[in-house]
Amino acid sequence: MGLIYSYPNDVAIEDDDAWIGTNAENKKTVQFTAQKVADYLNINGKISVANQYGFRFRTIETTARASMFFSGGGGSGTDFSSITQLIVSNYDITGQFMPNFFGILIGSEILISHKDDVNSFGHYTFQAYNAFSDPNFYILDLAPLAGNNTIVNGEYYYISSLNLNTNNNDKNFIFNQGTPAATWNISHTLNKFPSVSVVDSAGTMWYPAITYNSTTSITLEFSAAFSGKAYLN
């Protein structure tokens, strides 16, 4: 084997180009291709990009970190333009804790895009995030603006903020009551005593008795049980 400096430089790197290295598990000498190294960096989020956070889409409800899925599972092949809700892990592929960032996304536009296919994406308004049955995940409520192609099982996608709603005087939170109930207990992220507007699933306004338990919790009591939404501002 010649001296390293005696070999010519490769001025046009290609996916199948390779170099020699050591496998960490068994200490054997192996080859690494440029494509495999690039995949490793992308999938594991080793190159950080501001306001871009990676997750793997799965068709099962899982406890795995850095996962996102639909409630009840399934959904591979769903058009990005029809997605209105996703269940997303508290942590992205780099191990960053996400809920604090979700809070400032409310009212902003986001992009969900395939890690290496610019033509697979969804463009949304981030409406709200709520606790999921698994405390390590949150429900993201999305309003589709545009999209192309479909979301695919096992692929990695990045959630990117396109603009941030930084007007602290216009904080808002949307609570979804999916099953009929006469008492709604709401935990929110506004850190204040918000005004409240309530509509049932038919769009009719209701006027509850409101108890402010704290700056992050309220209880709404109604004269009858129904499902709907509460808008907190």
Side-chain angles (χ1 to χ4, degrees), residues 125-148:
T125 298
F126 190 103
Q127 294 185 307
Y129 74 103
N130 296 292
F132 185 55
S133 55
D134 181 337
N136 294 309
F137 287 79
Y138 273 85
I139 305 169
L140 309 188
D141 289 324
L142 310 171
L145 299 172
N148 192 62

Side-chain angles (χ1 to χ4, degrees), residues 16-17 23 33 38 41 105 111 139 159 172 205 219:
D16 291 332
D17 286 351
N23 185 294
T33 66
L41 295 174
L105 287 179
L111 190 72
I139 305 169
I159 297 178
N172 61 84
M205 291 285 295
T219 299

Side-chain angles (χ1 to χ4, degrees), residues 39-47 93-94 156 158:
D39 290 342
Y40 168 78
L41 295 174
N42 285 326
I43 291 171
N44 292 281
K46 295 299 183 179
I47 300 176
I93 57 176
T94 67
Y156 287 85
Y158 288 105

Side-chain angles (χ1 to χ4, degrees), residues 9-214:
N9 290 326
D10 188 346
V11 295
I13 296 176
E14 299 176 354
D15 290 346
D16 291 332
D17 286 351
W19 55 90
I20 300 296
T22 302
N23 185 294
E25 293 181 0
N26 55 30
K27 306 305 180 184
K28 290 184 178 180
T29 300
V30 293
Q31 289 190 72
F32 302 94
T33 66
Q35 181 62 59
K36 289 298 183 182
V37 171
D39 290 342
Y40 168 78
L41 295 174
N42 285 326
I43 291 171
N44 292 281
K46 295 299 183 179
I47 300 176
S48 297
V49 178
N51 296 332
Q52 181 172 289
Y53 307 94
F55 301 87
R56 189 178 191 184
F57 178 69
R58 300 174 184 267
T59 53
I60 59 171
E61 292 192 0
T62 177
T63 59
R65 274 194 177 190
S67 296
M68 63 182 184
F69 48 83
F70 295 127
S71 179
S76 184
T78 300
D79 289 337
F80 277 103
S81 58
S82 66
I83 295 173
T84 59
Q85 194 174 82
L86 275 172
I87 316 301
V88 176
S89 170
N90 280 356
Y91 293 89
D92 78 337
I93 57 176
T94 67
Q96 296 184 89
F97 186 67
M98 297 302 301
N100 294 332
F101 184 67
F102 289 154
I104 65 171
L105 287 179
I106 296 173
S108 303
E109 293 180 17
I110 67 168
L111 190 72
I112 300 178
S113 56
H114 190 278
K115 70 177 180 65
D116 54 17
D117 182 3
V118 70
N119 292 304
S120 294
F121 68 89
H123 179 199
Y124 310 92
T125 298
F126 190 103
Q127 294 185 307
Y129 74 103
N130 296 292
F132 185 55
S133 55
D134 181 337
N136 294 309
F137 287 79
Y138 273 85
I139 305 169
L140 309 188
D141 289 324
L142 310 171
L145 299 172
N148 192 62
N149 280 336
T150 63
I151 195 166
V152 178
N153 181 46
E155 294 297 304
Y156 287 85
Y157 298 89
Y158 288 105
I159 297 178
S160 308
S161 61
L162 300 181
N163 65 334
L164 294 177
N165 182 4
T166 56
N167 183 357
N168 291 328
N169 296 321
D170 191 34
K171 289 183 177 181
N172 61 84
F173 185 91
I174 301 174
F175 174 78
N176 294 291
Q177 180 66 40
T179 56
T183 300
W184 297 7
N185 296 303
I186 302 175
S187 296
H188 60 83
T189 58
L190 302 180
N191 197 32
K192 65 177 182 178
F193 299 115
S195 60
V196 180
S197 299
V198 177
V199 295
D200 62 20
S201 55
T204 302
M205 291 285 295
W206 285 72
Y207 301 93
I210 303 173
T211 300
Y212 291 98
N213 306 310
S214 70

